[in-house]
């Protein structure tokens, strides 16, 4: 029997890309716990589009079966590319029309605006990697063929460079040039002595491992860790939820 209608703040479902690397799923679970800290009693549930269970559709159906009528779904994505445009709407549609699912904006730029919390998280990771005194920075992203998504990465690089007061160039681990080693090498050839790499990744995995190795080989003095469950990132997720819930 379906549970009675539940009132109060709707549950939050985080949707990550998913990876064969178990560290990525661990990072998503840690972020869910960090988000939940400010909301005692409010469910914050992780899910994955691929490689790790449960998927978002399964979580949404379970919440509906428990009597929830509203859910806020947060795409743990830094660009609004294929997964945001196709995979997540498909998962919401599969959950059924009886569940009101509010999907938030991605964590990257929305409406051309780069959230200060995202920049603060990137700066924190750079400082932890001893890259705060770099005279040039490469923002290393996963990569996409979507030109709008690449433009949003460029906006983050421009904003990060402006905050740090240094040149900041984009690189990609796949799908689009330039790769991180080439970006580091070009900045060094242009006169930069201390090139650091900021990781535009939410979780560790094969792409970030490759970025770290290639950047070091090209002479980068510091390579930041992924954003994982930083307080700034958890706060950004909460702000996305609040905006979507109205």
């Amino acid at each position: 029997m379906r549970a009675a209608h539940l009132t109060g703040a709707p549950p939050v479902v985080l949707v990550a890309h998913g990876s064969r690397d178990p560290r990525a799923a661990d990072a998503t679970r840690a972020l869910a716990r960090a988000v939940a800290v400010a909301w005692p009693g409010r469910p914050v549930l992780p899910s994955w589009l691929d490689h790790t269970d449960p998927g978002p559709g399964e979580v949404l159906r379970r919440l509906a079966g428990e009597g929830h009528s509203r859910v806020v779904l947060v795409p743990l994505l830094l660009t609004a590319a294929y997964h945001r445009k196709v995979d997540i709407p498909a998962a919401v549609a599969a959950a059924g029309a009886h569940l009101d699912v509010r999907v938030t904006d991605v964590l990257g730029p929305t409406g051309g605006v780069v959230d200060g919390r995202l920049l603060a998280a990137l700066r924190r990771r750079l400082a932890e990697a001893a890259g705060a005194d770099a005279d040039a920075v490469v923002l290393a992203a996963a990569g996409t063929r979507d030109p709008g998504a690449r433009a949003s990465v460029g906006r983050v690089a421009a904003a990060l460079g402006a905050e740090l007061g240094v040149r900041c160039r984009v690189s990609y681990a796949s799908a689009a040039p330039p790769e991180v080693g080439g970006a580091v090498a070009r900045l060094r050839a242009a006169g930069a002595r201390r090139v650091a790499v900021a990781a535009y990744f939410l979780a560790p995995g094969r792409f970030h491992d490759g970025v770290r190795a290639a950047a070091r080989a090209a002479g980068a003095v510091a390579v930041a860790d992924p954003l994982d469950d930083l307080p700034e990132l958890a706060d950004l997720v909460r702000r996305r939820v609040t905006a979507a819930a109205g």
Side-chain angles (χ1 to χ4, degrees):
M1 179 181 295
R2 190 170 183 267
H5 173 73
L6 300 177
T7 59
V12 175
V13 177
L14 308 183
V15 186
H17 180 280
S19 170
R20 292 185 177 88
D21 191 320
R23 295 175 297 169
D26 289 343
T28 302
R29 295 185 188 102
L31 179 58
R33 291 191 294 269
V35 171
V37 166
W39 287 329
R42 183 176 190 175
V44 180
L45 307 171
S47 68
W48 294 267
L49 293 170
D50 202 2
H51 301 301
T52 304
D53 293 326
E58 178 183 343
V59 175
L60 292 173
R61 289 189 294 272
R62 184 172 77 236
L63 289 170
E66 292 172 355
H68 295 280
S69 60
R70 296 183 301 137
V71 176
V72 180
L73 186 149
V74 184
L76 296 184
L77 304 170
L78 291 169
T79 61
Y82 183 86
H83 296 299
R84 175 62 184 87
K85 295 175 180 177
V86 177
D87 290 338
I88 286 177
V92 171
H98 54 276
L99 188 63
D100 177 11
V101 181
R102 306 289 178 89
V103 182
T104 77
D105 288 326
V106 299
L107 303 184
T110 59
V113 177
V114 183
D115 194 284
R117 296 164 191 81
L118 180 60
L119 293 175
L122 290 167
R123 293 187 66 174
R124 180 197 286 254
R125 285 296 192 227
L126 270 177
E128 291 171 350
D133 63 345
D135 57 4
V137 171
V138 174
L139 182 69
T144 174
R145 293 182 177 86
D146 186 308
R150 290 198 302 273
S152 78
V153 178
R155 283 192 285 275
V156 175
L160 182 61
E163 282 212 354
L164 295 171
V166 300
R167 290 169 290 177
C168 185
R169 302 291 182 260
V170 172
S171 74
Y172 296 104
S174 69
E179 52 83 29
V180 66
V184 170
R186 280 192 287 277
L187 284 170
R188 295 185 69 206
R193 295 185 177 182
R194 291 183 53 80
V195 181
V197 175
Y200 200 48
F201 294 90
L202 296 178
R206 177 173 59 88
F207 279 167
H208 183 261
D209 289 347
V211 162
R212 186 185 298 280
R216 290 293 192 187
V221 298
V223 182
D225 287 338
L227 303 179
D228 290 347
D229 60 341
L230 285 179
E232 296 89 346
L233 192 66
D235 190 34
L236 175 55
V237 171
R238 287 190 289 264
R239 291 298 294 263
R240 291 287 193 255
V241 170
T242 300

